[in-house]
Amino acid sequence: MTDRPRLSIGLPVHNGEEYLAESLDALLGQTYEDFELIVSDNASTDGTQDICRKYAAQDSRIRYLRLPRNIGATPNHNRVFAESRGELFKWASHDDLYARDLLRACVEALDERPDVILAHSGQAVIDADGRVKVPYAYGLATDSPRPPERFRSLLFEPGGDDFYGVMRADVLRRVKPMDSYHHADRTFVAEITLHGPFHQVPELLYFRRDHPTRAERANPSKRARCVNLDPRRAGPLHPTPRLLAEYVWGFASAIRRAPLSAADRRACYGHLAAWMTSRVRPGAGERVEDRAPVDPDRLAVRVDDLVAGREGRRA
């Protein structure tokens, strides 16, 4: 590893022993190797620390950091970015899987397209065993040259985990750090889209795991999810109406901060107003992972053929 790797990967984790090793294998087995992997252990009480220390001893690209107390998922996500040194940055999840060519394809896409600020790939939702549950087509217009169109798409279209794409770190430093109100990750990505277009690599290379202990499943209420993001959200000062109001204000603030023309700013505010009206309609806020699952045996794509570390699982 070079003194300053080109790409930094930040992996925040809390009590992730069930899937962490699989994710580490998938990341360390990438065909693109010029990266550092910053793992920030948020005071885990299970076997996470042992797994991290074992892998760090085997691969010098890993920097293992451990927090003495649980600061919440959002501050931990922000921490791994603050610790990063590369010109490119990617967040990784301890329970997701990554095809061997994911990093290479995304870095090459950024090199070929100087105007693009984030590169991601086709993706699918997988189950606890790593079988494809819901493959889906990316329907967001984040590649549009027009900021209002990119913003409108982020508001209205379901799906898209652009948060886990490979980003230009200098752009990421120009946006407000991620917050911890309801769906703060969505407003965070929306602000990033106002700084430039995204590019999707037309290959299925990212697999987002949906399982019962996933944070959103384990914390079904808005309040519980926000407390998981930041323990300071607990208590009477953060009732659900406030969390929802901050969500809407997060979009409005992103528009205000972004480097937009007056016309584009007005268009974005117009899309936001239309979105707020649409939220009262039945079916608003569809989640891709809640769609009817497919039969994995009928798919041509096998996760075990694409992801490093899963070779022994092949039938």
Side-chain angles (χ1 to χ4, degrees):
M1 187 180 74
T2 59
D3 291 338
R4 185 181 179 188
R6 185 159 186 226
L7 168 65
S8 295
I9 303 172
L11 195 160
V13 60
H14 172 70
N15 289 347
E17 67 176 2
E18 187 173 7
Y19 302 111
L20 177 58
E22 291 182 45
S23 290
L24 291 175
D25 286 339
L27 290 168
L28 297 173
Q30 292 287 306
T31 54
Y32 182 87
E33 299 180 335
D34 186 12
F35 66 84
E36 63 176 349
L37 176 54
I38 306 159
V39 181
S40 181
D41 179 359
N42 199 5
S44 295
T45 56
D46 63 356
T48 293
Q49 180 175 192
D50 292 338
I51 294 170
C52 291
R53 294 195 182 282
K54 173 185 174 183
Y55 276 80
Q58 296 172 348
D59 197 311
S60 62
R61 293 175 294 178
I62 297 177
R63 278 201 287 147
Y64 174 58
L65 312 172
R66 179 172 169 84
L67 292 162
R69 61 179 179 83
N70 185 349
I71 63 173
T74 293
N76 205 21
H77 275 75
N78 291 334
R79 184 189 189 215
V80 291
F81 177 60
E83 291 283 345
S84 67
R85 299 176 293 165
E87 67 175 275
L88 304 175
F89 181 80
K90 171 182 169 52
W91 272 293
S93 176
H94 76 276
D95 48 5
D96 292 343
L97 293 176
Y98 315 89
R100 293 178 186 83
D101 290 333
L102 174 63
L103 297 184
R104 177 192 55 76
C106 289
V107 171
E108 288 179 355
L110 291 172
D111 287 343
E112 294 167 2
R113 299 167 176 83
D115 61 313
V116 168
I117 63 171
L118 182 151
H120 59 121
S121 75
Q123 61 179 289
V125 176
I126 58 175
D127 62 17
D129 296 320
R131 296 178 301 177
V132 173
K133 177 182 175 185
V134 183
Y136 59 93
Y138 186 83
L140 281 71
T142 52
D143 60 346
S144 170
R146 299 189 61 250
E149 178 60 19
R150 299 194 299 266
F151 184 75
R152 186 211 63 80
S153 184
L154 250 296
L155 287 172
F156 286 97
E157 301 298 331
D161 267 331
D162 311 273
F163 180 80
Y164 290 107
V166 176
M167 314 177 214
R168 300 193 191 276
D170 62 331
V171 175
L172 201 52
R173 293 187 181 95
R174 294 201 295 269
V175 303
K176 184 177 182 291
M178 188 166 57
D179 214 317
S180 55
Y181 47 77
H182 177 63
H183 281 340
D185 57 338
R186 195 77 172 178
T187 63
F188 182 71
V189 173
E191 182 167 357
I192 295 173
T193 67
L194 294 175
H195 284 256
F198 298 175
H199 173 76
Q200 185 189 33
V201 175
E203 299 176 59
L204 182 57
L205 301 174
Y206 172 47
F207 303 96
R208 181 161 57 90
R209 198 189 304 260
D210 187 30
H211 55 93
T213 57
R214 179 174 168 236
E216 193 166 277
R217 297 290 189 192
N219 300 281
S221 73
K222 295 179 179 64
R223 291 264 299 152
R225 285 196 293 273
C226 292
V227 171
N228 176 69
L229 292 175
D230 192 333
R232 292 172 295 184
R233 291 283 180 181
L237 294 179
H238 298 274
T240 300
R242 173 179 174 176
L243 301 174
L244 294 172
E246 288 185 78
Y247 178 33
V248 176
W249 181 247
F251 285 124
S253 299
I255 297 170
R256 175 177 53 82
R257 286 189 297 267
L260 300 172
S261 69
D264 283 349
R265 204 178 307 278
R266 286 194 299 271
C268 287
Y269 281 130
H271 292 319
L272 180 60
W275 171 80
M276 290 172 63
T277 302
S278 75
R279 297 296 290 178
V280 302
R281 300 172 187 166
E286 177 198 11
R287 297 193 310 176
V288 171
E289 58 266 31
D290 290 333
R291 293 177 180 173
V294 299
D295 181 355
D297 293 331
R298 295 187 177 184
L299 295 174
V301 173
R302 285 178 51 84
V303 175
D304 295 348
D305 293 333
L306 300 174
V307 177
R310 297 185 65 87
E311 295 82 356
R313 298 172 182 260
R314 297 174 185 168

CSV table of all heavy atoms in Angstrom, one decimal, residues 184-213:
chain,number,residue,atom,x,y,z
A,184,ALA,N,-32.2,11.0,6.8
A,184,ALA,CA,-31.1,12.0,6.6
A,184,ALA,C,-30.2,11.6,5.5
A,184,ALA,O,-29.6,12.4,4.8
A,184,ALA,CB,-30.3,12.2,7.9
A,185,ASP,N,-30.0,10.3,5.3
A,185,ASP,CA,-29.2,9.8,4.2
A,185,ASP,C,-29.7,10.2,2.8
A,185,ASP,O,-28.9,10.5,1.9
A,185,ASP,CB,-29.0,8.3,4.2
A,185,ASP,CG,-30.3,7.5,4.2
A,185,ASP,OD1,-31.3,8.1,4.5
A,185,ASP,OD2,-30.2,6.3,3.8
A,186,ARG,N,-31.0,10.3,2.7
A,186,ARG,CA,-31.6,10.7,1.5
A,186,ARG,C,-31.4,12.2,1.2
A,186,ARG,O,-31.0,12.6,0.0
A,186,ARG,CB,-33.1,10.5,1.5
A,186,ARG,CG,-33.8,10.5,0.2
A,186,ARG,CD,-33.6,9.2,-0.6
A,186,ARG,NE,-34.4,9.2,-1.8
A,186,ARG,CZ,-34.4,8.2,-2.7
A,186,ARG,NH1,-33.5,7.2,-2.5
A,186,ARG,NH2,-35.1,8.2,-3.8
A,187,THR,N,-31.5,13.0,2.2
A,187,THR,CA,-31.2,14.5,2.0
A,187,THR,C,-29.7,14.7,1.7
A,187,THR,O,-29.3,15.6,0.9
A,187,THR,CB,-31.7,15.3,3.2
A,187,THR,OG1,-30.9,14.9,4.3
A,187,THR,CG2,-33.1,15.1,3.4
A,188,PHE,N,-28.9,13.8,2.3
A,188,PHE,CA,-27.5,13.9,2.1
A,188,PHE,C,-27.1,13.7,0.6
A,188,PHE,O,-26.4,14.4,0.0
A,188,PHE,CB,-26.8,12.9,3.0
A,188,PHE,CG,-25.3,13.0,3.0
A,188,PHE,CD1,-24.5,14.0,3.5
A,188,PHE,CD2,-24.6,11.9,2.4
A,188,PHE,CE1,-23.1,14.0,3.4
A,188,PHE,CE2,-23.2,11.9,2.4
A,188,PHE,CZ,-22.5,13.0,2.9
A,189,VAL,N,-27.7,12.6,0.1
A,189,VAL,CA,-27.4,12.2,-1.3
A,189,VAL,C,-28.0,13.3,-2.2
A,189,VAL,O,-27.4,13.6,-3.3
A,189,VAL,CB,-27.9,10.8,-1.6
A,189,VAL,CG1,-27.8,10.5,-3.1
A,189,VAL,CG2,-27.2,9.8,-0.8
A,190,ALA,N,-29.2,13.8,-1.9
A,190,ALA,CA,-29.8,14.8,-2.7
A,190,ALA,C,-28.9,16.1,-2.8
A,190,ALA,O,-28.8,16.7,-3.9
A,190,ALA,CB,-31.1,15.2,-2.1
A,191,GLU,N,-28.2,16.4,-1.7
A,191,GLU,CA,-27.3,17.6,-1.8
A,191,GLU,C,-26.1,17.3,-2.6
A,191,GLU,O,-25.7,18.1,-3.4
A,191,GLU,CB,-26.9,18.0,-0.4
A,191,GLU,CG,-26.0,19.2,-0.4
A,191,GLU,CD,-25.7,19.9,1.0
A,191,GLU,OE1,-26.3,19.4,2.0
A,191,GLU,OE2,-24.9,20.8,1.0
A,192,ILE,N,-25.6,16.1,-2.6
A,192,ILE,CA,-24.5,15.7,-3.4
A,192,ILE,C,-24.9,15.8,-4.9
A,192,ILE,O,-24.1,16.3,-5.7
A,192,ILE,CB,-24.0,14.3,-3.1
A,192,ILE,CG1,-23.5,14.2,-1.7
A,192,ILE,CG2,-22.9,13.8,-4.1
A,192,ILE,CD1,-23.1,12.8,-1.2
A,193,THR,N,-26.1,15.4,-5.2
A,193,THR,CA,-26.5,15.4,-6.7
A,193,THR,C,-26.5,16.9,-7.2
A,193,THR,O,-26.4,17.1,-8.4
A,193,THR,CB,-27.9,14.8,-6.9
A,193,THR,OG1,-28.9,15.6,-6.2
A,193,THR,CG2,-28.0,13.4,-6.4
A,194,LEU,N,-26.7,17.9,-6.3
A,194,LEU,CA,-26.7,19.2,-6.7
A,194,LEU,C,-25.4,19.8,-7.1
A,194,LEU,O,-25.3,20.9,-7.7
A,194,LEU,CB,-27.4,20.1,-5.7
A,194,LEU,CG,-28.9,19.8,-5.4
A,194,LEU,CD1,-29.4,20.7,-4.2
A,194,LEU,CD2,-29.7,20.1,-6.6
A,195,HIS,N,-24.3,19.0,-6.8
A,195,HIS,CA,-23.0,19.4,-7.2
A,195,HIS,C,-22.5,18.8,-8.5
A,195,HIS,O,-21.4,19.2,-9.0
A,195,HIS,CB,-22.0,19.0,-6.0
A,195,HIS,CG,-22.1,19.9,-4.8
A,195,HIS,ND1,-21.2,20.9,-4.5
A,195,HIS,CD2,-23.1,20.0,-3.9
A,195,HIS,CE1,-21.6,21.5,-3.4
A,195,HIS,NE2,-22.7,21.0,-3.0
A,196,GLY,N,-23.1,17.8,-9.0
A,196,GLY,CA,-22.7,17.2,-10.2
A,196,GLY,C,-23.4,15.9,-10.5
A,196,GLY,O,-24.0,15.3,-9.6
A,197,PRO,N,-23.3,15.4,-11.7
A,197,PRO,CA,-24.0,14.2,-12.1
A,197,PRO,C,-23.3,12.9,-11.6
A,197,PRO,O,-22.1,12.9,-11.3
A,197,PRO,CB,-23.9,14.2,-13.7
A,197,PRO,CG,-22.7,15.0,-14.0
A,197,PRO,CD,-22.6,16.0,-12.9
A,198,PHE,N,-24.1,11.8,-11.5
A,198,PHE,CA,-23.6,10.5,-11.1
A,198,PHE,C,-23.4,9.7,-12.4
A,198,PHE,O,-24.0,10.0,-13.5
A,198,PHE,CB,-24.5,9.8,-10.2
A,198,PHE,CG,-24.7,10.5,-8.8
A,198,PHE,CD1,-25.6,9.9,-8.0
A,198,PHE,CD2,-24.0,11.6,-8.5
A,198,PHE,CE1,-25.8,10.5,-6.7
A,198,PHE,CE2,-24.2,12.2,-7.2
A,198,PHE,CZ,-25.1,11.7,-6.4
A,199,HIS,N,-22.7,8.6,-12.3
A,199,HIS,CA,-22.7,7.6,-13.4
A,199,HIS,C,-22.9,6.2,-12.9
A,199,HIS,O,-22.2,5.8,-11.9
A,199,HIS,CB,-21.3,7.7,-14.1
A,199,HIS,CG,-21.1,6.6,-15.2
A,199,HIS,ND1,-21.8,6.6,-16.4
A,199,HIS,CD2,-20.4,5.4,-15.1
A,199,HIS,CE1,-21.5,5.6,-17.1
A,199,HIS,NE2,-20.6,4.8,-16.4
A,200,GLN,N,-23.7,5.5,-13.5
A,200,GLN,CA,-23.9,4.1,-13.2
A,200,GLN,C,-23.2,3.1,-14.1
A,200,GLN,O,-23.5,3.2,-15.3
A,200,GLN,CB,-25.4,3.7,-13.1
A,200,GLN,CG,-25.6,2.3,-12.6
A,200,GLN,CD,-27.0,1.8,-12.7
A,200,GLN,OE1,-27.7,2.1,-13.7
A,200,GLN,NE2,-27.5,0.9,-11.8
A,201,VAL,N,-22.3,2.3,-13.5
A,201,VAL,CA,-21.7,1.3,-14.3
A,201,VAL,C,-22.7,0.2,-14.6
A,201,VAL,O,-23.4,-0.3,-13.7
A,201,VAL,CB,-20.5,0.7,-13.5
A,201,VAL,CG1,-19.9,-0.5,-14.2
A,201,VAL,CG2,-19.5,1.7,-13.2
A,202,PRO,N,-22.9,-0.1,-15.9
A,202,PRO,CA,-24.0,-1.1,-16.3
A,202,PRO,C,-23.7,-2.5,-16.0
A,202,PRO,O,-23.9,-3.4,-16.9
A,202,PRO,CB,-24.2,-0.8,-17.8
A,202,PRO,CG,-22.8,-0.4,-18.2
A,202,PRO,CD,-22.2,0.3,-17.1
A,203,GLU,N,-23.3,-2.8,-14.8
A,203,GLU,CA,-23.0,-4.2,-14.4
A,203,GLU,C,-23.6,-4.4,-13.0
A,203,GLU,O,-23.5,-3.4,-12.1
A,203,GLU,CB,-21.5,-4.5,-14.4
A,203,GLU,CG,-20.9,-4.4,-15.7
A,203,GLU,CD,-19.4,-4.6,-15.6
A,203,GLU,OE1,-19.0,-5.7,-15.2
A,203,GLU,OE2,-18.6,-3.7,-15.9
A,204,LEU,N,-24.0,-5.6,-12.6
A,204,LEU,CA,-24.5,-5.9,-11.3
A,204,LEU,C,-23.3,-6.2,-10.4
A,204,LEU,O,-22.8,-7.3,-10.5
A,204,LEU,CB,-25.5,-7.0,-11.4
A,204,LEU,CG,-26.2,-7.4,-10.0
A,204,LEU,CD1,-26.9,-6.3,-9.4
A,204,LEU,CD2,-27.1,-8.6,-10.3
A,205,LEU,N,-22.9,-5.3,-9.6
A,205,LEU,CA,-21.7,-5.4,-8.8
A,205,LEU,C,-21.9,-5.2,-7.3
A,205,LEU,O,-20.9,-5.4,-6.6
A,205,LEU,CB,-20.6,-4.5,-9.4
A,205,LEU,CG,-20.2,-4.7,-10.8
A,205,LEU,CD1,-19.2,-3.6,-11.3
A,205,LEU,CD2,-19.6,-6.1,-11.1
A,206,TYR,N,-23.0,-4.7,-6.9
A,206,TYR,CA,-23.2,-4.3,-5.5
A,206,TYR,C,-24.5,-5.1,-5.0
A,206,TYR,O,-25.5,-5.1,-5.7
A,206,TYR,CB,-23.4,-2.8,-5.4
A,206,TYR,CG,-23.8,-2.4,-4.0
A,206,TYR,CD1,-23.2,-2.9,-2.8
A,206,TYR,CD2,-24.9,-1.5,-3.8
A,206,TYR,CE1,-23.6,-2.5,-1.6
A,206,TYR,CE2,-25.3,-1.1,-2.5
A,206,TYR,CZ,-24.6,-1.6,-1.4
A,206,TYR,OH,-25.0,-1.2,-0.2
A,207,PHE,N,-24.3,-5.7,-3.8
A,207,PHE,CA,-25.4,-6.5,-3.3
A,207,PHE,C,-25.7,-6.1,-1.9
A,207,PHE,O,-24.9,-6.3,-0.9
A,207,PHE,CB,-25.0,-8.0,-3.3
A,207,PHE,CG,-24.6,-8.5,-4.7
A,207,PHE,CD1,-23.3,-8.5,-5.1
A,207,PHE,CD2,-25.6,-8.9,-5.6
A,207,PHE,CE1,-23.0,-8.9,-6.4
A,207,PHE,CE2,-25.3,-9.3,-6.9
A,207,PHE,CZ,-24.0,-9.3,-7.3
A,208,ARG,N,-26.9,-5.5,-1.7
A,208,ARG,CA,-27.3,-4.9,-0.4
A,208,ARG,C,-28.1,-6.0,0.4
A,208,ARG,O,-29.1,-6.4,-0.1
A,208,ARG,CB,-28.1,-3.6,-0.6
A,208,ARG,CG,-28.5,-3.0,0.7
A,208,ARG,CD,-28.9,-1.5,0.4
A,208,ARG,NE,-29.9,-1.4,-0.6
A,208,ARG,CZ,-31.3,-1.4,-0.4
A,208,ARG,NH1,-31.7,-1.5,0.9
A,208,ARG,NH2,-32.1,-1.3,-1.3
A,209,ARG,N,-27.6,-6.3,1.5
A,209,ARG,CA,-28.2,-7.4,2.3
A,209,ARG,C,-29.4,-6.9,3.2
A,209,ARG,O,-29.2,-5.9,3.9
A,209,ARG,CB,-27.2,-8.1,3.2
A,209,ARG,CG,-27.6,-9.5,3.7
A,209,ARG,CD,-26.7,-10.1,4.7
A,209,ARG,NE,-25.3,-10.2,4.3
A,209,ARG,CZ,-24.7,-11.3,3.9
A,209,ARG,NH1,-25.4,-12.4,3.8
A,209,ARG,NH2,-23.4,-11.3,3.6
A,210,ASP,N,-30.5,-7.6,3.0
A,210,ASP,CA,-31.7,-7.3,3.9
A,210,ASP,C,-31.9,-8.5,4.8
A,210,ASP,O,-32.0,-9.6,4.3
A,210,ASP,CB,-32.9,-7.1,3.0
A,210,ASP,CG,-34.1,-6.7,3.7
A,210,ASP,OD1,-33.9,-6.0,4.8
A,210,ASP,OD2,-35.2,-7.0,3.3
A,211,HIS,N,-31.9,-8.2,6.1
A,211,HIS,CA,-32.0,-9.3,7.1
A,211,HIS,C,-32.6,-8.8,8.3
A,211,HIS,O,-32.7,-7.5,8.5
A,211,HIS,CB,-30.6,-9.9,7.4
A,211,HIS,CG,-29.6,-8.9,7.8
A,211,HIS,ND1,-29.4,-8.6,9.2
A,211,HIS,CD2,-28.8,-8.0,7.1
A,211,HIS,CE1,-28.5,-7.6,9.3
A,211,HIS,NE2,-28.1,-7.3,8.0
A,212,PRO,N,-33.1,-9.6,9.2
A,212,PRO,CA,-33.9,-9.2,10.4
A,212,PRO,C,-33.1,-8.2,11.3
A,212,PRO,O,-33.7,-7.4,12.0
A,212,PRO,CB,-34.3,-10.5,11.1
A,212,PRO,CG,-34.2,-11.5,10.0
A,212,PRO,CD,-33.1,-11.1,9.1
A,213,THR,N,-31.8,-8.4,11.4
A,213,THR,CA,-31.0,-7.5,12.3
A,213,THR,C,-30.5,-6.3,11.7
A,213,THR,O,-29.7,-5.5,12.3
A,213,THR,CB,-29.8,-8.3,13.0
A,213,THR,OG1,-29.0,-8.9,11.9
A,213,THR,CG2,-30.4,-9.5,13.8
